[in-house]
Amino acid sequence: MRFIGGNNTMLKTSKQNEYGIIYSMWKIIRLLIISSIVIIGLNIIPFILFGKLVSSFTNYSIALGVVCGTIICVRVIEKKELAEIGFVFRKIDIVYFITGIFIAIVLNAMIISIASVQTGINLFPKLLIKFSQSERNVFAFMAIPLIEELIYRGYILNNTFPKLKFIHRSILSALLFSIPHWNNAENLSFGLFIFTFIFCTFIFGMFFNLIVFTTKSIWCGFGFHWSYNFLVATLFMNTSNYNLTVITTSVFLVIGLFMLMKTKHISEIKT
């Protein structure tokens, strides 16, 4: 009887560790460590072949390293299905991906329309010419969105801190998502920096968390994130019109707050 009781105690302790805060923090750190090792390994290959690091390959190797690191952590170490973190490949995910791209295009059209009304100038012709003359590679914008969606909306939201309710995990994920954007504050006033790169990115992080929760997939968010980054970099980069920044973040805020109200309806759901 003591032997059985001992086993039950060990199983209970193991279960508590699995759901504990410290263990969840360790899972995030472990993901970063393993991904970093894979990234270093991938970059050694061109260094051996060419005697130097290839910058274009380095950008893609980071995304590939995170993908491999996530697969190793989830499938090999934790013995779980990738579907549990939204990294799935179903027919419906193609629809989600295309929907994300469409939403990004519509949102940017809304932003340009509002800016046109606000300035009294039709900005569409100028920005369309700018877009047609751009030499930016659309595929070069894939890496960062894939990394962020996989880590923040996939792994952290769905695979850490499982004792927390969805709304609490969503807040944590959105907060961690907003932190790397704090360094994008060049030439912005402190108030605009707070509004744009802290508050707005947090709200939109919550918005995408709800999309992942609803679709059980990271691909709608990835489609939007990829398209939005490309369009903004192509149309609005190096512009001195901060009104566009305020308009952009205001539209994000309205949509994000609407989605937050929807989140309240599932705040009691534990996953």
Side-chain angles (χ1 to χ4, degrees):
M1 293 297 294
R2 288 182 181 178
F3 178 76
I4 296 175
N7 276 346
N8 288 338
T9 302
M10 290 177 64
L11 288 173
K12 184 176 181 181
T13 301
S14 176
K15 199 69 174 178
Q16 288 174 342
N17 289 337
E18 181 182 352
Y19 286 88
I21 294 177
I22 295 178
Y23 183 69
S24 290
M25 293 175 64
W26 160 242
K27 287 171 69 174
I28 297 173
I29 295 172
R30 181 177 63 193
L31 171 63
L32 297 177
I33 292 173
I34 293 177
S35 297
S36 298
I37 293 173
V38 175
I39 292 169
I40 293 172
L42 289 172
N43 281 280
I44 288 176
I45 297 174
F47 184 79
I48 294 174
L49 294 176
F50 305 108
K52 62 178 181 178
L53 295 176
V54 181
S55 59
S56 58
F57 178 78
T58 300
N59 294 332
Y60 293 110
S61 71
I62 295 174
L64 183 59
V66 171
V67 170
C68 292
T70 302
I71 293 174
I72 292 171
C73 286
V74 176
R75 292 290 294 142
V76 178
I77 299 177
E78 301 173 28
K79 309 295 184 184
K80 295 180 179 178
E81 297 295 330
L82 292 175
E84 295 187 34
I85 63 169
F87 195 47
V88 288
F89 303 93
R90 306 163 299 183
K91 291 182 179 179
I92 189 64
D93 293 306
I94 299 175
V95 177
Y96 290 150
F97 177 71
I98 296 174
T99 301
I101 295 175
F102 176 75
I103 294 173
I105 294 172
V106 171
L107 182 60
N108 275 274
M110 289 174 55
I111 293 168
I112 297 171
S113 299
I114 295 172
S116 297
V117 172
Q118 193 262 338
T119 59
I121 303 173
N122 184 0
L123 298 176
F124 277 97
K126 179 181 178 180
L127 292 176
L128 286 174
I129 292 174
K130 185 178 180 180
F131 181 82
S132 64
Q133 295 176 343
S134 174
E135 297 181 356
R136 294 180 182 274
N137 182 358
V138 65
F139 295 104
F141 289 83
M142 293 181 65
I144 292 179
L146 179 59
I147 292 169
E148 291 183 338
E149 295 305 315
L150 194 54
I151 291 179
Y152 299 114
R153 254 75 74 183
Y155 195 83
I156 293 177
L157 180 65
N158 293 305
N159 198 44
T160 61
F161 308 101
K163 290 189 70 174
L164 298 180
K165 298 175 183 178
F166 166 76
I167 185 66
H168 299 145
R169 299 199 316 275
S170 185
I171 290 173
L172 175 63
S173 171
L175 179 62
L176 293 175
F177 168 68
S178 71
I179 291 175
H181 295 83
W182 293 3
N183 65 345
N184 296 329
E186 185 179 356
N187 299 324
L188 293 183
S189 65
F190 181 73
L192 195 57
F193 160 66
I194 294 293
F195 180 67
T196 305
F197 294 110
I198 297 182
F199 189 60
C200 185
T201 51
F202 172 80
I203 292 295
F204 227 65
M206 295 285 286
F207 163 66
F208 278 114
N209 289 341
L210 184 56
I211 289 180
V212 171
F213 183 88
T214 304
T215 63
K216 307 301 180 186
S217 169
I218 66 169
W219 297 114
C220 183
F222 171 65
F224 177 94
H225 202 159
W226 173 31
S227 304
Y228 178 80
N229 282 7
F230 173 71
L231 290 172
V232 168
T234 303
L235 299 177
F236 305 127
M237 194 64 71
N238 300 323
T239 179
S240 58
N241 187 358
Y242 293 136
N243 289 331
L244 286 175
T245 303
V246 175
I247 292 171
T248 302
T249 51
S250 298
V251 172
F252 274 21
L253 181 58
V254 170
I255 297 175
L257 288 175
F258 173 77
M259 298 306 295
L260 275 177
M261 289 189 292
K262 294 296 183 180
T263 305
K264 291 180 181 178
H265 297 296
I266 55 175
S267 61
E268 296 302 319
I269 295 179
K270 295 182 179 181
T271 57

